[in-house]
Amino acid sequence: MEGIKGSIAAGWAWSAAAGATAALAAVLAKLASPVVRWEYRIISYAGVITCNVIMWSCYVRSLKALSSLQATVVNFAVNFILTGFLGLICFGETLHLEWFIGAFFIVFGIFVLSKAGVPNKDSTMTTKEE
């Protein structure tokens, strides 16, 4: 049982890492504005591509331990929350009350999903006896 819990925790960590790299890709994409020099834009676009490759790698690894629903929700939630805070820190964007309410419901949804767990595949399989 300990190995299963460790595997699930690793799945959550891989999914969170996928969301974090997606948020970093969003920041790099925003830094590639037409106002900056072309060299910085090329570096930013290369960073976006690199982050997306890493994000997909982490996401696929998370699917080995989590259901696709759990992996997707965790990925989205981490991406959403980090993108909001990085926008606040890096670009001075404002976060309104509605954003915080939405973030709360996302985190609450993750809590509910974490309690649901991954169903045991052996218990869902039935054999047909004749």
Side-chain angles (χ1 to χ4, degrees), residues 13-23 51 54-56 58-59 62 75 78-79:
W14 282 117
S15 186
T21 54
C51 283
I54 294 169
M55 184 268 302
W56 278 107
C58 292
Y59 181 73
S62 74
N75 183 346
V78 171
N79 184 0

Side-chain angles (χ1 to χ4, degrees), residues 19-103:
T21 54
L24 181 58
V27 170
L28 290 173
K30 197 163 186 175
L31 289 174
S33 72
V35 179
V36 299
R37 294 176 45 167
W38 66 271
E39 298 94 348
Y40 296 133
R41 280 188 289 195
I42 290 174
I43 292 169
S44 291
Y45 287 132
V48 168
I49 292 168
T50 302
C51 283
N52 281 316
V53 168
I54 294 169
M55 184 268 302
W56 278 107
S57 174
C58 292
Y59 181 73
V60 168
R61 289 179 185 191
S62 74
L63 290 173
K64 293 179 182 178
L66 302 175
S67 70
S68 59
L69 175 65
Q70 289 172 321
T72 300
V73 169
V74 171
N75 183 346
F76 169 76
V78 171
N79 184 0
F80 178 80
I81 292 169
L82 280 181
T83 301
F85 283 118
L86 288 172
L88 174 72
I89 294 166
C90 298
F91 306 110
E93 296 175 351
T94 58
L95 300 177
H96 299 284
L97 178 63
E98 292 87 355
W99 186 90
F100 285 101
I101 292 170

